[in-house]
Amino acid sequence: MPGHKTTHTQLERFRLIDSMLADGEAFSFENILDTLRLELRDDLLSDSSLRRDFRYMKNELGAPLAYDKKRHGWYYTKPFKLPAEAFSDDEILCLQLIRGLVNQNSNDDFLYKSFDNLLNKITPEKEPVEHVNADAEPMNAEVTPRKAVLEPKNAVVEPVETTLRDRFYIAPRPKHLIDEGVVEKILKAIKNNYLLDFNYFSKWEPEERHRKVMPFQLVFDDGSLYLYGASKNPRVPGPRLYKLSKIHALELVKSRTFELPANFRFREDFEEGRFGSFQYDEAYDFKIEFSGEARSLVRECLWADNQKIEENQQADTTTISFTSSQWIPIFRWLLSFGENARPLEPDWLVEQWKESIEKMYKNL
């Protein structure tokens, strides 16, 4: 049988329940359910939905809900403010979109789950659909879009039940695989200034190496998580970034702590580019020429705060110039445009680009 779909949200029911109980009065279960049905124009709202709402408000939102046998009703045992009451409807929608953006890069680790749980307390997920009589008609049809924008002639159009949240879609992205417990342990180490002991596979070294690091910060970049910290080995220059997906066999060294240095923050002293978290000791002046469809793409973004764009309509090219120390992500960015981009400066970038093209040609 078809399900009973509604256009109101669980959050709207929370708000109504909260408004009824805010003054300390007690209301019977039937009274609350009848009020919700009337206010939400949903005669099919079930008692099981209200029971779920009570459980969620009490267990997840911390609402002091209790039943008073003498007054035969539900009430708040102490003053309480629903967390969502501090936000407008538009702000609630923004929080729901933030959850989608967070989950877009989620890798199911401790940090992402904690953030999702936090947002879920304010903007609960959709509840299960309940099955009712197939002939039943939703009471809130006035606020629900009923027809598609375009429909074939003589087509049978099914009613569409939506909320504003349904009108947004956030496409999923690849998930970075991080060992279970890594993020949680790093957060604990950061809170207590514990040392971290782990194995790390660097792109600069042929095999996995052992590391003992003072953790300074967690750095977020394009869906990836990095640890910014300094090695306890004086022969390893630092501090540096460690990608969490390359960290294995991580352990806390609780017996040893460290003093946080004044310059612990991740800084980009030479940085004027916007190509992520990669940094190097020296900045370079880059000049790259784009053609074809790449011309419009490079105009859509600010790639560096000091960038300059030159248009050559006669040659059908767009040239961008800027200063940055982020040469590795810039080189990858350059290659991503294929035949529609070529470097002009600096000379070493031009040579590296040519070498890469020659290697790709040999692989044909």
Side-chain angles (χ1 to χ4, degrees):
M1 291 189 297
H4 167 216
K5 297 180 180 179
T6 63
T7 55
H8 62 76
T9 65
Q10 191 177 26
L11 182 59
E12 289 178 275
R13 300 204 298 273
F14 291 166
R15 285 176 165 175
L16 286 172
I17 297 168
D18 182 70
S19 66
M20 293 180 69
L21 305 182
D23 294 331
E25 292 186 42
F27 293 85
S28 69
F29 185 91
E30 291 74 16
N31 192 335
I32 296 174
L33 182 59
D34 288 341
T35 301
L36 292 179
R37 287 173 173 172
L38 178 64
E39 293 292 331
L40 298 172
R41 293 179 295 169
D42 186 357
D43 284 348
L44 300 178
L45 181 65
S46 67
D47 54 359
S48 60
S49 290
L50 182 55
R51 291 193 183 94
R52 280 199 302 272
D53 291 346
F54 277 11
R55 284 196 299 270
Y56 192 95
M57 291 179 68
K58 186 174 182 178
N59 298 332
E60 301 297 332
L61 303 181
L65 269 170
Y67 183 76
D68 189 328
K69 293 182 179 180
K70 293 182 179 179
R71 293 187 288 176
H72 304 288
W74 291 86
Y75 74 110
Y76 281 163
T77 60
K78 59 183 179 180
F80 173 74
K81 186 175 180 62
L82 190 69
E85 285 300 303
F87 302 97
S88 67
D89 289 339
D90 285 344
E91 289 170 334
I92 291 292
L93 176 62
C94 288
L95 287 171
Q96 292 171 337
L97 295 179
I98 288 173
R99 169 194 277 161
L101 291 171
V102 169
N103 288 336
Q104 183 186 49
N105 291 309
S106 172
N107 44 40
D108 301 321
D109 63 43
F110 171 80
L111 191 62
Y112 282 101
K113 285 182 178 179
S114 298
F115 192 80
D116 190 65
N117 289 338
L118 172 64
L119 288 178
N120 195 47
K121 290 185 178 182
I122 303 172
T123 59
E125 291 285 7
K126 292 180 180 178
E127 61 189 296
V129 172
E130 295 180 358
H131 296 286
V132 295
N133 192 316
D135 297 327
E137 182 70 21
M139 299 298 291
N140 45 7
E142 293 179 18
V143 295
T144 304
R146 286 299 188 183
K147 292 184 178 180
V149 177
L150 297 173
E151 55 189 61
K153 243 181 182 180
N154 303 322
V156 177
V157 180
E158 294 292 333
V160 178
E161 305 288 348
T162 67
T163 64
L164 186 56
R165 179 179 176 182
D166 295 322
R167 308 303 291 272
F168 294 87
Y169 175 72
I170 300 174
R173 296 179 61 86
K175 292 186 177 184
H176 294 270
L177 302 178
I178 299 176
D179 288 357
E180 185 176 355
V182 165
V183 178
E184 190 170 3
K185 289 178 180 178
I186 289 177
L187 288 174
K188 190 170 184 178
I190 287 176
K191 289 178 183 177
N192 298 281
N193 284 348
Y194 292 146
L195 292 181
L196 287 171
D197 190 289
F198 57 87
N199 294 330
Y200 191 75
F201 187 80
S202 171
K203 64 181 297 181
W204 309 110
E205 297 169 343
E207 57 186 24
E208 196 169 68
R209 298 289 182 88
H210 178 255
R211 296 282 187 269
K212 188 167 287 186
V213 172
M214 297 178 289
F216 294 164
Q217 288 180 301
L218 270 177
V219 176
F220 298 79
D221 180 19
D222 195 26
S224 295
L225 287 172
Y226 297 85
L227 168 67
Y228 183 61
S231 173
K232 289 296 291 182
N233 186 345
R235 293 178 295 177
V236 179
R240 60 172 59 181
L241 288 171
Y242 299 90
K243 194 171 185 178
L244 265 57
S245 57
K246 295 182 178 181
I247 291 177
H248 304 290
L250 177 72
E251 295 295 339
L252 293 172
V253 185
K254 297 182 181 180
S255 59
R256 296 184 62 185
T257 59
F258 64 94
E259 293 292 330
L260 196 64
N263 62 341
F264 74 92
R265 294 177 181 84
F266 179 75
R267 297 178 185 272
E268 298 171 355
D269 296 331
F270 298 95
E271 198 44 64
E272 294 182 51
R274 294 173 175 268
F275 292 88
S277 59
F278 182 87
Q279 64 176 346
Y280 202 65
D281 294 336
E282 186 176 353
Y284 301 93
D285 293 326
F286 292 90
K287 191 171 185 179
I288 303 173
E289 181 185 85
F290 296 91
S291 60
E293 63 180 16
R295 294 184 66 189
S296 61
L297 293 175
V298 296
R299 296 192 203 108
E300 294 175 4
C301 297
L302 180 67
W303 304 101
D305 295 336
N306 67 340
Q307 77 178 30
K308 294 179 181 178
I309 293 182
E310 301 172 32
E311 300 287 357
N312 188 331
Q313 301 301 343
Q314 187 174 358
D316 290 330
T317 61
T318 298
T319 302
I320 182 172
S321 304
F322 57 90
T323 303
S324 176
S325 66
Q326 300 173 295
W327 59 272
I328 287 184
I330 289 171
F331 184 67
R332 293 171 182 161
W333 175 67
L334 167 65
L335 292 177
S336 71
F337 289 98
E339 73 277 11
N340 290 325
R342 70 183 184 101
L344 303 178
E345 297 176 10
D347 292 340
W348 60 263
L349 181 67
V350 176
E351 292 305 314
Q352 188 173 356
W353 173 71
K354 289 179 179 179
E355 290 176 9
S356 294
I357 292 176
E358 289 173 356
K359 289 179 181 178
M360 285 188 281
Y361 179 75
K362 290 179 181 178
N363 288 332
L364 287 177

